[in-house]
Amino acid sequence: MNLSHHLTHPVFKAVQQVADRKGVQAFAIGGFVRDLILERPCKDIDIVVEGSGIELAREVAKILKAGRVTVFKNFGTAMFHHHGVEVEFVGARKESYERGSRKPIVEDGTIEDDQNRRDFTINAMAIRLNATSPANAPSYGDLVDPFDGLQDIALKILRTPLDPNVTYSDDPLRMMRAVRFACQLNFKIESDSLQSIERNAKRLEIISRERIHVELNKMIMSEVPSVGFKLLFNTRLLHQFFPEMVALKGVERRNGIGHKDNFFHTIEVLDRISKNTDNLWLRWAAILHDIAKPPTKRFHPDLGWTFHGHEDRGARMVPKIFKRLKLPLDHQMKYVQKLVLLHLRPIALTQEEISDSAVRRLLSEAGDDIDDLMILARADITSKNEAKVERYLLNYDEVVKKLVEVEKKDGVRNFQPPVSGEEIMETFGIPPSRPIGDIKKAIKEAILDGDIPNEQEAARALMLELGAKMGLRPA
Ligand code: CTP
């Protein structure tokens, strides 16, 4: 197969020119070739040369008048950006690994050696960039595919070039990559490979949590992320870094009463929310919304199974999980925590006569995340009974109507009390102290309950009244 007419980026012709002049063999390789064949958008280009990657990069960059070349001497790689694409150069390598470490012992090698040491057949394909092959036949654009990656693409199969036990123990991160690609590309992991992952799952322990979460997040951002989570669970990879999610699995029965399998419920919610959002952290909120169901589970002879307080306990579990997975601990984590904490509130609103004060409270607590909270609440309806789902969704339409109406009237979405702490201190001539907080809180409650309007005049009147009750007088 020849792919020369697909090689539209100017770097390829430039590589050909330099490689031919130097008499070295150069190839495009890896994810670039895979995505070209799959007709997925191209992100970066990897070039392998039987020789020095750094020298080739420097000369190619000169011809293209590309910007700065960044050299990583220790790795023997160099890269530059050109026409919006990152192009990386490396010498072909033969690698063998030391057990218990991802650090390879690197030796120069041929293109075959280099292809051998890659993760999957679909990632081991290369495209020849020299004008002619060593046998002197025209070769620019020829596919070099020793493991039949092309066929595996057609069959939608992930297979390792070597014995899977070797490929996965060389680099255990590849087990996560297998699951991620299976989920992202809708491919099957070939059965020997799958068994090898089950056998080697524990070796994930030598991989940094950062690398694990990069693969996990790519999986979560795919179209149907539940596929990935099922694979992670079945191979026991999930057990290595996310025991709280493993604990969601299973159904307990007592007195003939069972509860739903919260693992399946969670990944169903995740699939549902993924149809409506590309916000990674909102997807994480779906993953974690019921995370505290196992530790809060109780059986009541009258009520059956209950999970009281799982939203609150769940929100408190979020930091530990984020820390372990080395996910960002600032606003992203706080956002996930807030959604987990509030995830039951919209449903509570549908179960009562919707009062303005309940709506105001939710608006003031959710703030600008109210729309995301409603997306989560809608995704959380996973009944098999379609009529029931329909009815709940209609109820939510009512809640949203009410939210809009109340927000328009009262503007409490990003609630700022109309009387500030400074104003209270000035009015009564007192220093920072307990009564200030008490008065502020009472004013907020009164506004949210609808006892007074969200206006300064009414708030000041209440402040004076409360102050008087505490024995405070205007200074
Ligand atoms: N590779 C590998 N083992 C790894 C990581 C990468 O063998 N643990 C090889 C594969 O041949 C891969 C190439 O290095 O195609 C480039 O890796 P990377 O850029 O991380 O991933 P891509 O395959 O390009 O996929 P994506 O861009 O979707 O992350």
Side-chain angles (χ1 to χ4, degrees), residues 111-122:
I111 184 71
E112 288 86 358
D113 294 329
D114 198 279
Q115 287 173 303
N116 269 329
R117 66 169 190 91
R118 289 181 179 261
D119 53 2
F120 303 107
T121 60
I122 64 165

Side-chain angles (χ1 to χ4, degrees), residues 439-457:
I439 293 175
K440 259 176 80 174
K441 184 151 183 254
I443 292 173
K444 178 175 174 181
E445 295 295 310
I447 292 170
L448 293 177
D449 280 339
D451 294 340
I452 63 166
N454 187 10
E455 287 160 11
Q456 200 178 19
E457 199 179 325

Side-chain angles (χ1 to χ4, degrees), residues 33 89 122 154 157 185 231 236 270 313 322 339 360 416:
V33 181
F89 293 75
I122 64 165
I157 285 181
L185 304 176
L231 279 168
R236 298 182 72 83
L270 177 60
R313 177 91 173 250
F322 267 53
L339 291 177
R360 273 193 295 268
Q416 287 298 335

Side-chain angles (χ1 to χ4, degrees), residues 353-396:
E353 188 52 30
I354 311 180
S355 71
D356 280 13
S357 71
V359 172
R360 273 193 295 268
R361 272 179 195 285
L362 184 57
L363 276 169
S364 107
E365 279 172 63
D368 280 340
D369 300 321
I370 187 71
D371 298 331
D372 291 353
L373 181 65
M374 291 309 298
I375 295 176
L376 176 60
R378 285 177 190 277
D380 198 5
I381 307 170
T382 62
S383 166
K384 292 249 180 322
N385 179 339
E386 275 179 33
K388 214 164 152 187
V389 173
E390 229 11 67
R391 197 169 65 242
Y392 282 152
L393 288 176
L394 283 175
N395 286 343
Y396 278 151

